[in-house]
Amino acid sequence: LVTETMAGAAEVLRQTSDSAEELVRKVATPGGTTEAGLSALKENRLGDILNEMVERATKRSKELNQG
C-alpha cells in the first residue's frame, strides 16, 4: 500500500505544474483520512527529517566526488 501510494503521488506530481502543497489542498478532504495522515507526518516533523536526509546525502556525494 505504501509503495503504490508513494508511486502514485510521485506520478501525479510529475504530471502537473502544481506544487505538492497545492495538490494536497485540491485532494485532501477537510477532516478526512489524507488530512489526518498528513497531520501525523507534520507533527512528527517528517519534512525536517527528509530535508536532513537529502542534505547529508548531498554533502557525502560531494565529498566522494572530490576524492
Side-chain angles (χ1 to χ4, degrees), residues 47-63:
D48 292 342
I49 293 166
L50 293 174
N51 285 335
E52 180 69 17
M53 178 188 74
V54 170
E55 287 175 14
R56 288 186 190 193
T58 301
K59 179 182 176 189
R60 185 62 183 140
S61 175
K62 289 176 182 176
E63 291 169 354

Side-chain angles (χ1 to χ4, degrees), residues 17-66:
S17 61
D18 291 340
S19 67
E21 293 83 10
E22 182 61 26
L23 287 173
V24 168
R25 281 192 290 276
K26 289 180 177 180
V27 303
T29 303
T33 57
T34 300
E35 187 179 76
L38 291 172
S39 177
L41 295 176
K42 287 179 186 176
E43 288 170 15
N44 289 288
R45 305 178 61 97
L46 180 65
D48 292 342
I49 293 166
L50 293 174
N51 285 335
E52 180 69 17
M53 178 188 74
V54 170
E55 287 175 14
R56 288 186 190 193
T58 301
K59 179 182 176 189
R60 185 62 183 140
S61 175
K62 289 176 182 176
E63 291 169 354
L64 291 171
N65 285 325
Q66 290 178 0

